[in-house]
Amino acid sequence: MREFPLLIIGAGPAGLSTALHLLQIDPGWADRMVVLERAAHPRHKLCGGGVTRLGLHYLRGLGLPEPLPIPQAEVRDARFIYRDRTVHVRGRPEFVVFHRQEFDAYLARTARERGVRILENVRVRAIRVAADGAVVETDAGDFHARAVVGADGSRGVSRGHLAKSGDRRKSSPARVARLLEVVQPAEPEAPQFSGAFARFDFTPAAGELQGYTWDFPARVAGAPHHNRGVFDARISPGRPRADLPGLLDRALAGEPPGPDGAKIEGHPIHWFSPRCRLSGDRLVLAGDAAGAEPLFGEGIAPALGYGQIAARAVADAFAAEDYSFKDYKRRVLASELGRYLLLRWWVAWWSYRLSDRPWFMRIMWTIGKGMTALTNRIGE
Ligand SMILES: Cc1cc2nc3c(=O)[nH]c(=O)nc-3n(C[C@H](O)[C@H](O)[C@H](O)COP(=O)(O)OP(=O)(O)OC[C@H]3O[C@@H](n4cnc5c(N)ncnc54)[C@H](O)[C@@H]3O)c2cc1C
């Protein structure tokens, strides 16, 4: 059995952010931790790739160059559409779109250059917690650690471990959003690129969709592409299910996936709720394992933010030799990220219960227009 003080499961934004933040706290962590990743970078990752200003703030805090030295498309005008109404949220940039496999590979390369050990093609199968530490079973043998960071995404083993080890009466509902996405080549002169805009169309929320369809400008290996998809939060479980393939078809009207190899793919996102369990004995969750925000399904900035909080919690646990992580949820909720997640969860909880009522959406868009009249001037 191999022995490391700390194991991080998953080399996505959450796991790599945790490792990079630990190195900022103390470069000596390079010898005390290892990241286990079931794939090998650059690996395929279904994602819109939109990194908001909050995410850019965390990247800056890690001392990464701005802009990052990888292909990207800037969005300076995020258009929120409901029927004939549009709210423009402007910033320079409002968010940046990366091709996720390039973004994650860049983060992994940077982490390695700074001394982080990443073991790729190692799939974690189970976690067992004993009195003297945690045993992580993988298809490359067992690892023993004093603590584990579960950053293995929405369908990871860590969250499953917490659900199994918790009080069954308190076991949480699934809290899972559904998404479909397609990435297609775009003409360089497509208006999304010259106008640096992205569209979030909430018109289908008048029906069964608890979400929106999106259309982002993207660059894949530098070449212009459209990243399009549909997000269904499913935060109000009593409402009927939306027909996601049908909605995406309509959103792609005139440009269905063709012989260029683009295909529609789907993936769930586990979203944050203040009732979620975020830690257990010897284990803290970060990123989608803990929960993305349920209003837009934004998870990259939260993953980077969870990494910062998890790193501090781990460093304090080792200093105190107390691996219960009992105050981890309080730390998350009291942080900048916690306030962001709580606000989005609260707005999503209300708005996706009322989004099929046109009067409610009209009020939301009127409020949005009023707010952006002030904030757009500051953002530009
Ligand atoms: C279609 C779609 C579009 C999206 N668009 C956006 C967007 O535009 N902006 C945004 O902010 N968010 C978006 N998201 C959400 C975003 O992708 C996630 O929130 C983000 O990837 C979370 O990062 P993470 O590090 O927690 O998890 P992940 O990125 O999923 O990384 C987890 C890592 O763990 C590894 N892993 C998993 N299981 C194991 C195991 N058993 N053993 C070892 N390794 C394992 C995986 O290979 C992976 O590398 C989108 C999601 C989807 C599905």
Side-chain angles (χ1 to χ4, degrees), residues 9-15 36-39 41 43 45-52 100 104 122-125 151-157 179-181 214 216 265-269 286-289 292 297-303:
I9 310 176
L36 304 177
E37 167 56 51
R38 73 172 171 200
H41 288 292
R43 51 112 174 78
K45 172 72 195 165
L46 196 65
C47 185
V51 177
T52 54
R100 268 301 294 278
D104 289 16
V122 175
R123 177 188 289 267
V124 171
R125 303 228 167 259
D152 46 352
S154 292
R155 291 206 271 215
V157 172
L179 295 92
L180 292 182
E181 178 183 292
W214 78 82
F216 292 174
E265 294 179 90
H267 198 279
I269 304 183
D288 278 10
E298 182 191 2
I300 303 172

Side-chain angles (χ1 to χ4, degrees), residues 58-82:
Y58 289 124
L59 294 171
R60 216 174 294 130
L62 285 170
L64 300 175
E66 198 175 2
L68 294 188
I70 51 174
Q72 56 203 269
E74 264 197 15
V75 171
R76 295 185 185 173
D77 174 9
R79 298 181 181 176
F80 295 86
I81 298 156
Y82 178 70

Side-chain angles (χ1 to χ4, degrees), residues 139-158:
D139 51 11
D142 289 357
F143 290 76
H144 185 267
R146 272 186 265 162
V148 176
V149 177
D152 46 352
S154 292
R155 291 206 271 215
V157 172
S158 326

Side-chain angles (χ1 to χ4, degrees), residues 84-354:
D84 57 347
R85 293 170 184 232
T86 302
V87 170
H88 297 263
V89 180
R90 295 200 167 95
R92 290 184 172 269
E94 183 53 31
F95 66 95
V96 177
V97 181
F98 297 98
H99 185 42
R100 268 301 294 278
Q101 91 180 43
E102 295 169 18
F103 177 76
D104 289 16
Y106 168 78
L107 284 184
R109 202 162 56 242
T110 305
R112 280 199 164 110
E113 282 164 10
R114 293 186 184 183
V116 176
R117 253 175 303 176
I118 305 173
L119 301 187
E120 293 186 324
N121 300 311
V122 175
R123 177 188 289 267
V124 171
R125 303 228 167 259
I127 302 169
R128 280 186 282 121
V129 172
D132 66 336
V135 176
V136 172
E137 298 172 17
T138 80
D139 51 11
D142 289 357
F143 290 76
H144 185 267
R146 272 186 265 162
V148 176
V149 177
D152 46 352
S154 292
R155 291 206 271 215
V157 172
S158 326
R159 196 161 67 84
H161 168 78
L162 272 194
K164 269 188 266 160
S165 62
D167 180 341
R168 286 200 172 272
R169 283 167 306 176
K170 286 192 204 156
S171 72
S172 53
R175 300 194 178 106
V176 169
R178 304 182 301 153
L179 295 92
L180 292 182
E181 178 183 292
V182 60
V183 181
Q184 299 166 285
E187 296 300 329
E189 55 279 359
Q192 282 94 335
F193 291 89
S194 49
F197 71 83
R199 290 164 51 93
F200 297 79
D201 190 347
F202 285 80
T203 307
E208 279 136 11
L209 186 67
Q210 297 173 40
Y212 59 90
T213 60
W214 78 82
D215 185 347
F216 292 174
R219 291 193 183 277
V220 178
H225 279 70
H226 296 289
N227 183 311
R228 290 164 168 155
V230 56
F231 167 75
D232 186 11
R234 295 291 308 150
I235 195 167
S236 177
R239 290 183 55 188
R241 279 177 177 265
D243 165 24
L244 299 194
L247 287 169
L248 185 57
D249 261 4
R250 259 165 269 150
L252 296 175
E255 288 182 77
D260 52 24
K263 60 177 192 296
I264 295 175
E265 294 179 90
H267 198 279
I269 304 183
H270 169 242
W271 43 257
F272 165 88
S273 139
R275 288 189 283 270
C276 282
R277 258 189 101 186
L278 302 184
S279 63
D281 200 21
R282 307 222 172 233
L283 175 67
V284 291
L285 300 184
D288 278 10
E293 64 85 4
L295 185 60
F296 298 106
E298 182 191 2
I300 303 172
L304 297 168
Y306 278 115
Q308 186 186 51
I309 303 164
R312 177 43 66 194
V314 164
D316 291 350
F318 276 76
E321 295 193 17
D322 172 357
Y323 307 99
S324 60
F325 293 110
K326 283 205 171 97
D327 68 342
Y328 180 63
K329 185 165 175 177
R330 185 195 55 74
R331 286 175 188 245
V332 171
L333 294 179
S335 68
E336 177 186 28
L337 172 66
R339 290 190 290 279
Y340 190 80
L341 291 170
L342 277 170
L343 178 67
R344 299 261 180 124
W345 170 82
W346 188 80
V347 175
W349 200 93
W350 280 107
S351 54
Y352 290 135
R353 272 168 176 73
L354 295 171

